[in-house]
Amino acid sequence: MQLDGVLFFPVTPFGADGELAEDVLAKHVARGVAEGAGGVFAACGTGEFNALGIDEYARVVRIAVESAAGRVPVLSGAGGSLPFARDCARRAAEAGADGLLLLPPYLVSAPADGLVRYVREVAASTDLPIIVYQRANARFTAAAAAALTEIPNVAGFKDGLGDIDAMQRIVLAVREATDRDFTFFNGLPTAEMTVPAYRGIGVSLYSSAVFCFLPEVALAFHKAVTAGDDDLVRRLLAGFYRPLVELRDLVPGYAVSLVKAGVALRGLDVGRVRPPLVDAAPEHVARLEKLIATGLDIVG
């Protein structure tokens, strides 16, 4: 499982009846892969993993795998209660996924050694490679992150907390604990805002929600940051990404709702978000539409 470039986290489309819109999902994933995504992460945070039943989840993964058609790796979310996470792992393997993004366990706070045990028990139920996602109530110490390297099919660690000092300690501890391939990801919402900082501690991979609806900008940013075009990076951060984050922060859950609104603005109706999320307000969609035009203008 080799991941590189801009990582694509598709939304999960729903029809007017609230049910999974399979044809729209297939088109969404196929378009993203054709645009140049380096990997597809289906049924994860942007894909409303929290709102899917297990049968819907399996259908989302299957459609993503079929639509990617072997061109890039496809990973899917897993998480929640231990039995549900194991079920996700089983269903993802049956659907042909190449790996899992293991989200936090449901609701509870736990010590770091409990989180390691959670990962260990999910990993024991599958042969799929696993990327562990640190965010919310799943907070790993450097020692706990190093312990993850003892689990053979744990292949990476994704950070959604944004504590650069703590993440640097984790990177150093893991590199000291193992010499096998182990990949680190910047998993903050609108990760482009922190890409320069994460690259400074050796974390170059990141997830891009913007790629869902504005691949032109997401790809231009990635090219600029990897080529050292600091001027374009600065102009995109100041003119597009910063105002996008300011808009996103107005309402909890807009990290998903605005992405769905953006996909719709670019011509693909992916429906509403499921509760407890709320759809973007019309005035916020109008601001997003202007931001999309600004981003396209910046990249020419």
Side-chain angles (χ1 to χ4, degrees):
M1 184 181 63
Q2 296 297 318
L3 293 167
D4 194 13
V6 179
L7 304 181
F8 174 32
F9 285 67
V11 300
T12 298
F14 301 116
D17 58 359
E19 297 301 311
L20 178 64
E22 296 191 2
D23 291 346
V24 180
L25 176 60
K27 185 178 294 186
H28 181 43
V29 173
R31 283 183 180 179
V33 174
E35 289 283 358
V40 175
F41 285 70
C44 293
T46 307
E48 297 181 77
F49 170 83
N50 64 291
L52 299 175
I54 192 63
D55 290 335
E56 288 180 315
Y57 166 87
R59 287 158 59 199
V60 168
V61 180
R62 175 183 54 78
I63 292 165
V65 169
E66 291 173 352
S67 301
R71 290 171 288 176
V72 296
V74 176
L75 293 85
S76 62
S81 69
L82 182 58
F84 189 77
R86 287 171 169 164
D87 205 7
C88 288
R90 179 179 62 82
R91 300 291 286 268
E94 292 172 352
D98 297 296
L100 299 170
L101 179 65
L102 184 56
L103 284 74
Y106 174 72
L107 191 61
V108 295
S109 297
D113 57 348
L115 293 171
V116 173
R117 182 184 172 197
Y118 175 78
V119 175
R120 193 182 303 278
E121 294 202 17
V122 174
S125 69
T126 182
D127 293 327
L128 291 176
I130 292 174
I131 296 164
V132 176
Y133 197 177
Q134 166 173 264
R135 66 176 295 172
N137 58 315
R139 295 171 176 258
F140 290 78
T141 63
L148 295 176
T149 67
E150 300 170 4
I151 306 171
N153 54 332
V154 171
F157 188 89
K158 182 179 180 183
D159 179 55
L161 295 180
D163 186 331
I164 295 294
D165 178 84
M167 190 59 184
Q168 177 69 92
R169 294 169 190 266
I170 285 172
V171 171
L172 292 172
V174 167
R175 296 299 186 215
E176 290 168 357
T178 184
D179 58 0
R180 68 181 175 89
D181 288 342
F182 200 93
T183 306
F184 292 98
F185 300 74
N186 170 1
L188 288 173
T190 319
E192 285 89 346
M193 281 293 291
T194 53
V195 163
Y198 274 82
R199 286 177 66 86
I201 61 170
V203 179
S204 58
L205 277 177
Y206 62 92
S207 51
S208 177
V210 168
F211 184 86
C212 281
F213 64 94
L214 206 51
E216 303 96 327
V217 169
L219 291 167
F221 179 86
H222 182 266
K223 182 178 179 180
V225 79
T226 54
D229 187 348
D230 294 337
D231 178 64
L232 181 54
V233 169
R234 179 191 58 78
R235 287 190 290 121
L236 282 170
L237 289 176
F240 174 76
Y241 284 103
R242 181 176 64 190
L244 177 64
V245 168
E246 290 168 352
L247 180 59
R248 182 202 72 200
D249 288 348
L250 291 177
V251 178
Y254 263 20
V256 176
S257 304
L258 281 178
V259 175
K260 274 198 156 176
V263 176
L265 285 170
R266 298 303 303 281
L268 189 64
D269 183 2
V270 290
R272 306 184 65 180
V273 293
R274 280 183 173 171
L277 301 183
V278 297
D279 295 312
E283 63 270 24
H284 297 154
V285 175
R287 285 174 59 178
L288 178 62
E289 188 170 19
K290 291 180 180 178
L291 275 176
I292 288 172
T294 297
L296 290 171
D297 184 60
I298 292 172
V299 301

